[in-house]
Amino acid sequence: MMSEPVSALKVEKLRKTYSNGLVALDGVSLEVAAGRFFGLLGPNGAGKTSLINSVVSLARPDSGSVEVFGKDAHREFREARRMIGVSPQEINLDKFLTVEEVLTYHAGYYGVEKKKAKERAEELLERFELVGKRKQRVSTLSGGMKRRVLFARALMHDPKLLFLDEPTAGVDVELRYKLWEYIRELNHAGLTILLTTHYLEEAEELCEEIALINDGQIAAQDTNAGLKERYAAESIEEVYLKVMGRVAGG
Amino acid sequence: MLADRSFRTLLSREVLRFTRIWVQTIVPPLLTSLLYLVVFGVALGTRIQEVNGVPYLEYILPGVALMSLITGSHMNSSWSVFDAKRERYIDEVLISPMSDLQIALAYSLGGTLRGLIMGAGVLVVGIPFVGVTVEHPGLLLLIGVLSSFTFASLGTMVGAMANRVDQISFLTNVVVQPLAFLGGVFYSVEMLPGALRTATLFDPIFYMVDAARYATLETSDLNPYPTLGIVLLLAVLAFTGAWWAMNRGPNLRY
């Protein structure tokens, strides 16, 4: 008899109220199957980043539970966090470090041994065309270059679940396509990906399953094709407008 | 578990930070301390013959070294944590598999090392210049480590709690510097009138300076061993504060 496959991410009845009284998450439940390319869409302030932050314990939820590959994100935080990679929306690179150091120090924070970290850094520097910049301080890089470093950093400790929070914001078209190609390749190799994006065509192109979030609640969730069918829509953009319009209209 | 690879990496990052900007972090404070020795010790010292039977320049050396250590330790961790928080790269550390205890300890020990380098720097230059031998080097090291750790922890706490740059400079200019000046670096409490003498007993830096002076010159206002207990207690309190702040500080985990 086969045991039930473990979800990469299982969020149950998550509620998060900020100190100013804003309810960012209003009982969100979400399950992302292992190996899935999952999209989380919604307008600004819908709760996307709050959800990610609650999983990685940057935000403290009021109630609810989070499991990452069966590990409780709170009680077994070391195991859970080790499996997660985050490429955040805002660039937050350690300004005292060089490109190469950003990668190797990150690996160290996740307990990856030095030799392995060096090999992995080499691989990612090449992959993201950063070899020529390796000795350069990150603070001196252009925006697009910083974005690449951010992305490579998230992959340094070989996460099993990758959060990409608006990864292509402010990125030129060429890099965006390269990133897409690489993300897809990673997903095919088994990495579970949760993507938040404002570019709906990006979500349509990449994601197998999509959840729409608004006002801290999941408004709709299905496979890419399932959503289009359910809302008699030609594109995810149309689904998005219908769902958000319906929500806005009460 | 506490000193695992994650922790050691953050600690080595802290050391890398201050050694990389050594022109800013190590040279100016060292120069300031040496100026104290020259100005207070040599210039004024010719007018003040001895304190408690010790030549004035010798008398102030341990305190000046300790002042340098305290300045280095608290500034290192307060700025490091505050900078990381202001530019949000502290998030990388907060979402890593490290516990808040490990994070607070790594930042505090980074500051402790910087403080020890600053204090040792003053002694290395000052000892041949003044011409003393350290009476109890082990005890001096112990006092140095505990004092440095106390103020590095205080720095970690303030860095984690601060929302604005001026709160960091408040710690340096309004809290630490006055306490250091009033902590008996340049005089013996015996020389003070009664009320000021009592007030000095509430200055934590006084205990550190006094114990360091005993360890170096075997002269002090208080018995050094109970003093060591007070310094140890201060270290524990300050680090508890740092740990709490790393967990509860505003805009860290919200």
Side-chain angles (χ1 to χ4, degrees):
Chain A
M1 206 177 86
M2 275 178 59
S3 61
E4 200 180 321
V6 177
S7 303
L9 179 66
K10 193 172 176 185
V11 172
E12 269 177 0
K13 297 182 188 147
L14 206 61
R15 210 184 141 77
K16 168 70 192 166
T17 316
Y18 287 112
S19 51
N20 60 6
L22 176 84
V23 180
L25 300 173
D26 191 6
V28 168
S29 295
L30 188 74
E31 203 165 341
V32 179
R36 191 59 57 91
F37 203 131
F38 195 96
L40 188 62
L41 309 180
N44 285 331
K48 301 185 297 283
T49 303
S50 293
L51 179 60
I52 294 178
N53 285 347
S54 300
V55 175
V56 295
S57 50
L58 264 188
R60 296 171 200 272
D62 321 334
S63 58
S65 71
V66 176
E67 276 182 19
V68 179
F69 286 96
K71 303 283 179 194
D72 187 290
H74 185 67
R75 280 196 307 275
E76 298 163 287
F77 72 92
R78 286 179 202 273
E79 291 85 348
R81 290 191 210 162
R82 207 167 274 137
M83 290 188 277
I84 303 173
V86 181
S87 173
Q89 194 171 345
E90 303 289 337
I91 289 167
N92 67 344
L93 295 167
D94 188 338
K95 64 179 173 187
F96 289 100
L97 304 181
T98 64
V99 170
E100 189 173 11
E101 285 164 353
V102 162
L103 302 184
T104 51
Y105 274 83
H106 177 88
Y109 297 154
Y110 282 78
V112 179
E113 62 168 285
K114 268 201 171 123
K115 191 167 165 277
K116 218 172 147 193
K118 266 208 137 17
E119 286 168 12
R120 182 83 175 133
E122 216 51 58
E123 191 186 324
L124 290 167
L125 284 170
E126 240 168 71
R127 185 80 212 203
F128 289 96
E129 296 166 30
L130 289 164
V131 176
K133 305 273 181 195
R134 67 196 305 160
K135 299 281 178 220
Q136 212 168 308
R137 291 261 201 113
V138 285
S139 51
T140 64
L141 298 177
S142 69
M145 283 285 176
K146 283 181 182 162
R147 199 44 84 181
R148 288 191 217 182
V149 179
L150 211 58
F151 208 84
R153 186 182 75 180
L155 294 167
M156 268 307 289
H157 59 286
D158 265 318
K160 291 172 79 181
L161 170 62
L162 181 64
F163 288 131
L164 300 173
D165 198 0
E166 302 283 351
T168 55
V171 159
D172 63 45
V173 180
E174 195 196 343
L175 179 59
R176 183 178 304 169
Y177 284 116
K178 273 189 187 162
L179 283 179
W180 283 13
E181 191 190 315
Y182 189 48
I183 303 171
R184 242 195 224 115
E185 197 183 309
L186 290 168
N187 178 243
H188 285 155
L191 181 67
T192 310
I193 296 173
L194 190 141
L195 171 81
T196 81
T197 180
H198 271 98
Y199 302 103
L200 298 173
E201 76 281 5
E202 183 167 86
E204 177 149 19
E205 176 81 23
L206 294 168
C207 302
E208 303 160 82
E209 191 174 347
I210 289 172
L212 297 165
I213 184 168
N214 196 28
D215 281 340
Q217 286 179 324
I218 302 289
Q221 183 188 343
D222 206 334
T223 59
N224 198 332
L227 278 176
K228 284 193 255 189
E229 199 184 308
R230 191 180 337 156
Y231 290 93
E234 303 244 313
S235 65
I236 289 301
E237 188 170 345
E238 210 183 321
V239 173
Y240 183 91
L241 290 172
K242 282 186 173 169
V243 173
M244 295 305 162
R246 188 194 63 188
V247 171
Chain B
M1 199 65 166
L2 189 65
D4 61 11
R5 189 183 298 276
S6 311
F7 168 81
R8 295 197 306 271
T9 306
L10 183 56
L11 180 56
S12 81
R13 184 265 170 204
E14 283 303 288
V15 174
L16 182 77
R17 176 188 164 274
F18 72 72
T19 49
R20 186 156 279 174
I21 49 168
W22 63 276
V23 178
Q24 184 190 329
T25 55
I26 295 178
V27 175
L30 210 54
L31 201 65
T32 308
S33 302
L34 298 177
L35 283 174
Y36 278 134
L37 288 180
V38 172
V39 174
F40 286 92
V42 179
L44 294 178
T46 52
R47 310 265 163 157
I48 310 165
Q49 293 303 316
E50 286 186 341
V51 180
N52 294 353
V54 178
Y56 189 62
L57 192 56
E58 278 183 41
Y59 187 81
I60 65 170
L61 177 66
V64 169
L66 202 82
M67 224 162 96
S68 178
L69 169 144
I70 286 170
T71 309
S73 59
H74 89 270
M75 281 183 80
N76 194 81
S77 41
S78 60
W79 277 105
S80 185
V81 173
F82 181 72
D83 256 352
K85 180 169 141 167
R86 181 171 52 174
E87 298 184 24
R88 292 317 316 170
Y89 53 84
I90 202 164
D91 288 355
E92 184 192 4
V93 172
L94 293 175
I95 69 172
S96 78
M98 266 179 272
S99 65
D100 292 340
L101 174 65
Q102 287 178 300
I103 297 170
L105 191 60
Y107 281 120
S108 299
L109 285 180
T112 306
L113 286 174
R114 157 106 176 267
L116 287 172
I117 289 172
M118 307 304 312
V122 174
L123 289 182
V124 164
V125 182
I127 285 175
F129 177 68
V130 175
V132 287
T133 43
V134 176
E135 297 288 339
H136 305 283
L139 183 64
L140 184 63
L141 181 68
L142 184 61
I143 285 291
V145 170
L146 285 175
S147 308
S148 200
F149 183 69
T150 304
F151 278 88
S153 299
L154 187 68
T156 304
M157 180 170 94
V158 172
M161 294 305 289
N163 281 322
R164 297 190 316 270
V165 161
D166 54 294
Q167 291 164 329
I168 302 293
S169 25
F170 184 89
L171 172 70
T172 302
N173 300 327
V174 184
V175 181
V176 177
Q177 291 288 12
L179 285 180
F181 271 98
L182 300 174
V185 173
F186 298 104
Y187 51 80
S188 161
V189 277
E190 299 298 321
M191 296 156 82
L192 296 175
L196 271 179
R197 199 183 302 174
T198 313
T200 305
L201 293 176
F202 291 96
D203 180 348
I205 295 178
F206 164 67
Y207 296 93
M208 296 168 182
V209 169
D210 196 59
R213 186 171 289 134
Y214 176 84
T216 315
L217 310 168
E218 235 174 20
T219 177
S220 59
D221 290 326
L222 306 169
N223 181 333
Y225 294 98
T227 306
L228 202 61
I230 294 177
V231 178
L232 182 67
L233 180 71
L234 289 170
V236 171
L237 283 176
F239 183 68
T240 309
W243 183 12
W244 175 83
M246 196 53 75
N247 188 261
R248 286 286 154 189
N251 299 324
L252 284 170
R253 301 185 194 277
Y254 33 85

